[in-house]
């Protein structure tokens, strides 16, 4: 378990226990906090005053700051021994200045021992259904994924420059859970949104929100230095089959299937971008090095279990 040493030896003894700072403490951040022992001091950066009561109710000390305002981040330097960074990049451009602002601030007075960054599987781009492990070169094509590549690059640089910082990058696919906003396909099924016909369909990857939170915690303590991890379950499903299964489970009509050329006139650009990439992620490294045993090893077991509770 965590050591009692502090990177700042001059701090009073009450601050010498491990301190975990969560950046972007939304649904997954709160789930991860719930996995951590009560002996730790938990902190979270927030730019929304209305979030402070929720954080405090979970035993988390809120810190006011904004990743778009570097001056507001100065207080974070030397404050935490471990950092979980789950905040998204800005919604435009191909760079992530938020992550770079955070990393600069963290290094001013003694960098943390470990930093875990939650990235996206989209950095791989379209792999045409191939099995993908972490040695595959990134091939992002969308601005959304390119921003994540930029953030990953900054995190890797921190790990190389500050040798005492153990950085981990988690590449995360679609997250699901019934108690998560938009965490199941039910709403989309009720809208009758089409999926691709079988000849055009793509492989999609998933992870239950609780398993993702556990992976985040494992990486904070067990991740190897400067390591990338695919964080996904064992499912190897095509997108249409996933929605067909969910429709049958919820007692709803299966979504209509359309050819790709027809989908381009019916779906949003965001949805089309997900339908233009196909890959099957290999999670062997996550299981072997993080020693994570999935509670929901497949989407069908996760959705069925959630439906029964």
């Amino acid at each position: 378990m965590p050591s009692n040493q502090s990177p700042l030896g001059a701090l009073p003894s009450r601050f010498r226990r491990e301190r975990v700072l969560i950046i972007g403490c939304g649904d997954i951040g709160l789930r991860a906090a719930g996995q951590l022992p009560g002996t730790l001091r938990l902190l979270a950066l927030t730019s929304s005053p209305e979030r402070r009561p929720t954080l405090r109710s979970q035993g988390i000390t809120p810190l006011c700051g904004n990743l778009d305002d570097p001056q507001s981040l100065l207080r974070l330097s030397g404050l935490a021994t471990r950092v979980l960074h789950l905040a998204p990049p800005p919604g435009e451009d191909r760079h992530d200045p938020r992550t770079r602002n955070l990393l600069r601030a963290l290094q001013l007075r003694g960098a943390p021992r470990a930093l875990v960054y939650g990235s996206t599987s989209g950095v791989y781009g379209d792999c045409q259904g191939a099995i993908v492990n972490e040695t595959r070169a990134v091939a992002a094509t969308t601005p959304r994924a390119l921003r994540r590549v930029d953030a990953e690059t900054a995190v890797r640089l921190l790990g190389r420059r500050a040798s005492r910082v153990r950085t981990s990058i988690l590449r995360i696919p679609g997250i699901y859970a019934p108690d998560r906003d938009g965490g199941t396909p039910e709403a989309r099924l009720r809208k009758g949104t089409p999926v691709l016909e079988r000849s055009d369909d793509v492989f999609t990857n998933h992870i239950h929100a609780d398993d993702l939170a556990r992976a985040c915690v494992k990486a904070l303590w067990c991740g190897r230095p400067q390591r990338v991890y695919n964080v996904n379950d064992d499912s190897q499903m095509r997108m249409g089959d996933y929605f067909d299964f969910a429709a049958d489970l919820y007692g709803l009509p299966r979504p209509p299937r359309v050819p790709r050329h027809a989908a381009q006139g019916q779906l949003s650009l965001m949805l089309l971008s997900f339908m233009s990439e196909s890959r099957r992620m290999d999670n062997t490294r996550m299981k072997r090095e993080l020693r994570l045993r999935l509670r929901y090893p497949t989407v069908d077991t996760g959705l069925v279990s959630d439906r029964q509770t």
Side-chain angles (χ1 to χ4, degrees), residues 113-248:
R113 294 174 186 167
L115 184 142
V116 175
Y117 174 62
S119 184
T120 173
S121 60
V123 299
Y124 291 118
D126 180 25
C127 304
Q128 299 183 342
I131 296 175
V132 174
N133 64 28
E134 295 86 348
T135 64
R136 188 180 183 106
V138 298
T141 56
T142 66
R144 182 183 67 257
L146 288 168
R147 290 190 287 270
R148 294 292 189 167
V149 171
D150 182 65
E152 286 191 9
T153 301
V155 170
R156 287 174 180 271
L157 186 60
L158 171 67
R160 288 197 297 267
R161 284 183 174 175
S163 57
R164 66 178 299 279
V165 183
R166 180 172 47 78
T167 61
S168 300
I169 294 171
L170 309 184
R171 289 180 176 159
I172 304 166
I175 307 168
Y176 75 98
D179 55 349
R180 173 181 169 85
D181 186 26
T184 73
E186 186 170 357
R188 177 173 160 178
L189 288 168
R190 291 190 181 279
K191 292 179 182 177
T193 305
V195 296
L196 295 176
E197 63 182 21
R198 294 188 183 279
S199 60
D200 290 331
D201 207 0
V202 297
F203 282 101
T204 184
N205 305 274
H206 306 269
I207 186 70
H208 193 285
D210 288 340
D211 280 332
L212 173 55
R214 294 170 60 236
C216 291
V217 172
K218 286 277 191 179
L220 281 170
W221 269 272
C222 304
R224 294 189 182 179
Q226 287 57 268
R227 202 68 154 159
V228 174
Y229 295 97
N230 288 343
V231 179
N232 57 284
D233 65 20
D234 299 330
S235 302
Q236 292 194 2
M237 298 180 74
R238 293 188 183 272
M239 185 178 291
D241 295 335
Y242 167 65
F243 283 102
D244 282 350
F245 175 84
D248 294 345

Side-chain angles (χ1 to χ4, degrees), residues 57-84:
S57 71
Q58 301 299 312
I60 303 170
T61 300
L63 304 173
C64 290
N66 192 317
L67 292 176
D68 294 321
D69 178 9
Q71 285 297 116
S72 72
L73 305 178
L74 297 180
R75 65 184 300 186
L76 302 182
S77 182
L79 187 63
T81 54
R82 301 175 196 268
V83 176
L84 176 59

